[in-house]
Amino acid sequence: MSKTLQSGTMDPTKMGVGRSIAVLTSGGDAQGMNAAVRATVRVGLYTGASVYFVHEGYQGLVDGGDNIKLATWESVSMMLQLGGTVIGSARCKDFQTREGRMKAAGNLVKLGITNLCVIGGDGSLTGANQFRTDWSELLVDLVKAGKITKDEASKSSHLNIVGMVGSIDNDFCGTDMTIGTDSALHRIIEVVDAITTTAQSHQRTFILEVMGRHCGYLALVTALSCGADWVFIPEMPPDEGWEEHLCRRLADQRGRGCRLNVIIVAEGAMTRAGKPITSDQLKQLVIDRLGFDTRTTVLGHVQRGGTPSAFDRILGSRMGVEAVMALLEATPETPACVVSLSGNQAVRLPLMECVQVTKDVTAAMAEGRFEDAIKLRGKSFENNWNTYKLLAHINPPDVKSNINVAVMNIGAPCAGMNSAVRSAVRIGMIQGHTMLAVHDGFDGLAHGNIEPLSWTNVSGWTGKGGSMLGTKRTLPGKMMEEISFNINKFNIHAMVIIGGFEAFVGGLELVQAREKYEELCIPMVVIPATVSNNVPGSDFSIGADTALNTIVATCDRIKQSAAGTKRRVFIIETMGGYCGYLATMAGMASGADAAYIYEEKFNIKDLELNVEHLVQKMKTTVKRGLILRNENSNAHYTTDFIFNLYSEEGKGVFDCRKNVLGHMQQGGTPTPFDRNFGTKMGAKSVLWLTEKLKTCTRHGRIYANTPDSACLLGMRKRALYFQPLAELKEETDFEHRIPKTQWWLKIRPIMKILAKYNIELDTSEHANMEHVIKKMGHL
């Protein structure tokens, strides 16, 4: 699929004229399916196409009639925050038969629909591919049977299919995250947090069974996010004699003073011999061998429920846009594809290649090739497994490395900082280092507020918001003398600096002061952690996902209030400094009408245009508006100014209210993404420092003076990279404290299109078709 297919020659608002698209959800429901349906409908309409809902999945396709209905712009309003699927889903036996598929084909031909967007799991997508393969033969039979005319058959001679994977198990290969996975993790973690408090009161062992018949993703990420003692997943059954090992580990943890043990089991967990491992069986084992007070909780369908997380809404919305483009650009030669996210890039993958790799995983598990099964699941699954293995072996070596590593938090607090500290401390101890806590940022380093941390000091930290070490915004510049004195006094050999823009700038100041102070010639690594997501060198920073979910939850409530009162527009101010990430992403996840940010300049004409847009919107059935404004988007067009302007211009049509969200955006318990991201970053940073220390000795002592001995660990597109702080200077706008280029600006047009603005959508950047096998080159 070439990028230049329609760029430049085709107006995106005319791409779909005369075409019809049908959208259906099938198989098990997943949170975020509604976001995908909404985006498919609205982007379809934006391109000029007709869009149809198919109610009740494939059953509706077979039964036809009222099950296939024209969708309108307004019919997908208020859908974004609903879990499940509004258009219904059903398991369908009829569609598996040729007669059923023939009926379905007849229904589509009669309506002139030749583009089908299917949101579901691998079974649903395989069914869609089968339908496409049979299509021309089905039409021949329909003409023979007199159900359709030759003319109708020739007009619908080819069926295009695009799939989006909606499955809470994240069991589809080729996609980093399937729609619903993140929300399911949110539900699980809410339960784990609630259970943790009661278990600690009574010194209990809790066994939690989560969904995942064939895939251990939910269990694995849950185990990482809550620091579980053990996880059982289908891809990697435990070694022989695991019962001994498990009981020894639980007893060890109790011996270290932990009041709580957590074991996570995927429902499809089994032994190497292929026998199921159930939560009841584990409970019996722990009671019989250790006599611990043990409880089991089977989460079941709770995991499918509730409102979709911000990530799933954005994922669904971006996938919907990409799906419509893929359908309209498809030719009879292009294979049926799935649209997916890899890192933060939208990609298209041949559907059957993904299905094949997914089947290969099942085969590998059945044949006992467990290492292969984990590799086939993809890079992200493999990284999670490796991090879990590192952190689960809890016997720090008897031999000390004589290395002291200091850990500190810098800047404003954010959720997820503590999980990065915890994993850094534990990985360091496993490697024999002494881990030192520096309290209150660079201030604490200058004033000697430093103490060693033990293994149990950091237990339970993954689920705690804010900063347990204490954090300050002060930069080290004016305190270099004192800082070097304490690095020397406490014999610090390496530093992990976790924080926001100040952590990056502070790190740079330390590097620049190396010329004057030899004590600063030690390896250091900066881990970006800030709600603003404004640190150069990383697409995401720890804490931004939690803040985003907090904003979106508030916007949902405000929209409900506005929907009740009718004709009301809310103006909401978000944090972020000069960085518009939170305002933009929250705008997309909560269905805002506009999001004002510093990076995209706006003037009074734009504001008037937005007001006029809302005046028109009030004439429809959707009588409410939501406007987001980043706190520093414009010095003169303040939140009050915009509120006054909208109030005056909207007089008699709508009234306005304003909300400044403030510091609630920095609080709250971290989301599963931030816990997991923090855990991986903390672990990776200490492993890197350990390697660096081996190469940085001079005359028997540590001496690191090269640019690559002070790095920032960031996530870029699809992987984690260490980048020298000095190199990142070029990429930074220091005055406004933001990176010079930011990836998320490219997806802002999607928000505007979904809010019914007829703007230019650059179709030249669409994803090429990739190949799964090629992408998974490490097989």
Side-chain angles (χ1 to χ4, degrees):
M1 205 169 282
S2 94
K3 280 195 179 175
T4 53
L5 195 64
Q6 261 132 352
S7 69
T9 54
M10 188 80 174
D11 171 1
T13 58
K14 306 275 190 303
M15 270 174 85
V17 174
R19 315 270 297 270
S20 291
I21 297 170
V23 57
L24 67 87
T25 54
S26 168
D29 66 315
Q31 308 95 319
M33 279 183 167
N34 292 324
V37 170
R38 169 181 178 267
T40 307
V41 169
R42 289 194 169 171
V43 177
L45 295 173
Y46 161 84
T47 64
S50 304
V51 188
Y52 290 83
F53 288 133
V54 179
H55 291 275
E56 310 309 330
Y58 285 124
Q59 196 62 56
L61 208 56
V62 174
D63 297 345
D66 274 353
N67 287 308
I68 306 177
K69 282 195 190 124
L70 258 178
T72 64
W73 191 271
E74 287 136 71
S75 62
V76 292
S77 178
M78 277 310 249
M79 246 168 104
L80 199 53
Q81 61 269 45
L82 300 174
T85 162
V86 172
I87 57 175
S89 171
R91 310 268 178 200
C92 175
K93 291 270 179 282
D94 296 348
F95 193 75
Q96 291 167 9
T97 66
R98 192 179 162 86
E99 294 70 57
R101 288 198 291 277
M102 196 156 138
K103 271 190 195 162
N107 291 331
L108 289 179
V109 170
K110 285 288 180 208
L111 293 166
I113 300 170
T114 54
N115 297 287
L116 188 58
C117 175
V118 178
I119 307 165
D122 56 348
S124 312
L125 299 180
T126 310
N129 193 62
Q130 181 67 50
F131 192 37
R132 180 181 191 242
T133 315
D134 295 352
W135 183 256
S136 44
E137 290 172 21
L138 294 172
L139 295 200
V140 171
D141 292 355
L142 285 165
V143 172
K144 269 188 199 155
K147 297 270 169 53
I148 61 171
T149 66
K150 275 197 166 149
D151 188 38
E152 285 174 327
S154 70
K155 277 190 184 139
S156 302
S157 62
H158 176 71
L159 177 70
N160 293 320
I161 278 188
V162 168
M164 286 185 254
V165 192
S167 150
I168 65 166
D169 295 343
N170 203 18
D171 57 357
F172 196 77
C173 291
T175 60
D176 272 0
M177 283 293 259
T178 57
I179 295 168
T181 307
D182 189 60
S183 303
L185 286 169
H186 274 253
R187 290 305 86 75
I188 295 170
I189 289 299
E190 282 160 21
V191 173
V192 173
D193 284 353
I195 279 177
T196 305
T197 48
T198 156
Q200 277 179 329
S201 312
H202 297 279
Q203 290 210 31
R204 282 192 175 139
T205 297
F206 260 92
I207 299 165
L208 230 76
E209 186 180 303
V210 300
M211 283 187 168
R213 272 198 310 271
H214 307 296
C215 178
Y217 184 86
L218 291 177
L220 181 53
V221 175
T222 302
L224 274 177
S225 304
C226 71
D229 296 301
W230 196 292
V231 67
F232 290 94
I233 59 171
E235 289 85 349
M236 187 52 83
D239 295 328
E240 296 304 321
W242 59 269
E243 295 91 343
E244 285 294 321
H245 191 171
L246 171 66
C247 292
R248 193 169 64 245
R249 183 174 302 170
L250 298 181
D252 269 2
Q253 283 291 69
R254 282 289 162 97
R256 288 166 182 275
C258 290
R259 296 179 60 86
L260 143 90
N261 301 116
V262 179
I263 300 168
I264 310 286
V265 197
E267 59 181 332
M270 53 184 181
T271 63
R272 298 231 155 210
K275 287 207 176 87
I277 296 176
T278 66
S279 39
D280 287 337
Q281 193 185 326
L282 290 168
K283 177 181 174 176
Q284 240 7 82
L285 174 76
V286 176
I287 291 173
D288 294 347
R289 297 216 185 166
L290 297 170
F292 288 175
D293 189 358
T294 306
R295 297 283 188 277
T296 57
T297 303
V298 177
L299 283 190
H301 281 75
V302 168
Q303 295 161 83
R304 288 192 190 279
T307 176
S309 65
F311 178 86
D312 274 330
R313 299 181 195 195
I314 292 163
L315 177 66
S317 303
R318 290 183 67 188
M319 296 300 88
V321 177
E322 194 58 46
V324 172
M325 292 305 159
L327 280 171
L328 298 179
E329 290 173 6
T331 66
E333 284 68 53
T334 44
C337 76
V338 284
V339 291
S340 144
L341 266 198
S342 179
N344 57 29
Q345 305 295 104
V347 293
R348 297 178 190 176
L349 301 161
L351 192 149
M352 289 322 285
E353 278 187 24
C354 296
V355 169
Q356 189 51 53
V357 181
T358 306
K359 285 183 174 157
D360 291 347
V361 178
T362 318
M365 293 194 300
E367 291 162 23
R369 293 183 288 111
F370 299 112
E371 296 289 340
D372 289 353
I374 281 187
K375 277 204 159 54
L376 284 158
R377 279 270 178 242
K379 236 1 195 184
S380 133
F381 192 94
E382 203 182 346
N383 288 342
N384 283 326
W385 177 249
N386 291 336
T387 309
Y388 162 74
K389 277 198 308 195
L390 274 173
L391 283 164
H393 296 296
I394 54 162
N395 293 335
D398 300 327
V399 184
K400 290 279 176 265
S401 62
N402 294 328
I403 299 283
N404 300 324
V405 181
V407 185
M408 64 183 94
N409 292 160
I410 309 292
C414 69
M417 277 182 161
N418 297 325
S419 60
V421 172
R422 171 187 170 271
S423 75
V425 167
R426 291 203 165 169
I427 292 286
M429 291 182 72
I430 286 165
Q431 299 193 308
H433 307 332
T434 299
M435 302 303 290
L436 301 172
V438 177
H439 297 287
D440 305 331
F442 291 120
D443 266 11
L445 193 56
H447 298 128
N449 198 350
I450 302 168
E451 58 177 2
L453 282 165
S454 73
W455 185 270
T456 43
N457 280 154
V458 293
S459 58
W461 278 25
T462 39
K464 293 199 166 122
S467 161
M468 302 288 285
L469 292 180
T471 178
K472 281 224 168 79
R473 287 175 176 271
T474 330
L475 288 168
K478 300 199 169 58
M479 311 179 285
M480 283 304 175
E481 197 70 50
E482 296 88 335
I483 286 175
S484 343
F485 173 77
N486 279 326
I487 288 178
N488 192 24
K489 178 181 167 187
F490 288 89
N491 206 5
I492 294 169
H493 302 113
M495 279 198 288
V496 180
I497 304 168
I498 302 164
F501 199 81
E502 288 91 354
F504 167 65
V505 176
L508 272 173
E509 288 183 2
L510 294 175
V511 171
Q512 277 150 2
R514 278 174 169 178
E515 287 173 29
K516 196 172 169 193
Y517 301 100
E518 203 173 291
E519 293 83 354
L520 299 173
C521 295
I522 56 172
M524 46 187 107
V525 64
V526 173
I527 296 178
T530 163
V531 298
S532 306
N533 195 24
N534 62 337
V535 181
S538 193
D539 292 344
F540 297 105
S541 55
I542 297 167
D545 186 63
T546 304
L548 186 55
N549 276 287
T550 306
I551 298 168
V552 169
T554 308
C555 289
D556 284 353
R557 290 176 183 176
I558 284 171
K559 268 171 78 175
Q560 261 174 341
S561 150
T565 36
K566 305 266 189 313
R567 300 187 176 279
R568 181 159 284 178
V569 175
F570 273 90
I571 293 153
I572 295 174
E573 182 186 300
T574 68
M575 277 186 167
Y578 284 94
C579 175
Y581 176 80
L582 287 178
T584 298
M585 290 312 209
M588 191 137 118
S590 55
D593 295 284
Y596 299 122
I597 62 168
Y598 164 77
E599 292 90 343
E600 197 174 281
K601 302 287 177 259
F602 57 98
N603 57 30
I604 195 74
K605 285 202 177 59
D606 299 314
L607 294 173
E608 283 170 353
L609 191 81
N610 294 146
V611 173
E612 182 49 36
H613 188 264
L614 282 171
V615 169
Q616 293 308 320
K617 188 179 176 183
M618 296 298 159
K619 294 176 183 168
T620 71
T621 54
V622 187
K623 296 188 186 346
R624 53 158 206 285
L626 182 67
I627 304 287
L628 295 177
R629 177 186 174 275
N630 160 268
E631 56 185 355
N632 290 346
S633 52
N634 187 302
H636 302 292
Y637 300 142
T638 59
T639 302
D640 287 339
F641 176 91
I642 291 173
F643 169 72
N644 292 335
L645 175 83
Y646 274 66
S647 299
E648 182 58 36
E649 296 293 317
K651 231 183 224 160
V653 184
F654 57 78
D655 63 352
C656 282
R657 294 288 183 274
K658 67 169 189 275
N659 257 47
V660 176
L661 297 185
H663 281 76
M664 60 181 278
Q665 295 164 83
Q666 287 180 2
T669 46
T671 54
F673 176 85
D674 280 332
R675 295 180 193 203
N676 193 9
F677 191 40
T679 300
K680 278 198 227 176
M681 300 276 267
K684 215 172 166 74
S685 63
V686 173
L687 293 174
W688 179 83
L689 286 172
T690 305
E691 284 310 301
K692 263 282 167 271
L693 287 164
K694 289 177 186 164
T695 57
C696 295
T697 43
R698 187 171 87 169
H699 310 311
R701 46 187 283 263
I702 285 153
Y703 183 81
N705 201 14
T706 53
D708 70 350
S709 63
C711 281
L712 179 133
L713 172 56
M715 186 178 196
R716 290 270 175 120
K717 289 189 178 157
R718 298 180 182 180
L720 293 172
Y721 296 101
F722 288 92
Q723 305 141 93
L725 294 173
E727 280 176 21
L728 292 173
K729 265 166 79 171
E730 299 307 308
E731 294 178 27
T732 311
D733 167 356
F734 283 96
E735 186 194 341
H736 298 102
R737 301 159 51 93
I738 50 174
K740 287 179 183 168
T741 53
Q742 301 184 89
W743 67 273
W744 50 266
L745 284 167
K746 283 204 176 119
I747 61 175
R748 265 181 74 81
I750 296 175
M751 182 184 75
K752 295 178 187 171
I753 288 168
L754 294 176
K756 211 171 183 174
Y757 281 91
N758 265 350
I759 58 151
E760 277 297 297
L761 179 66
D762 176 12
T763 52
S764 62
E765 274 256 348
H766 280 137
N768 288 334
M769 183 82 84
E770 294 195 9
H771 290 285
V772 198
I773 314 302
K774 190 174 76 191
K775 198 186 119 193
M776 308 176 70
H778 56 275
L779 292 187

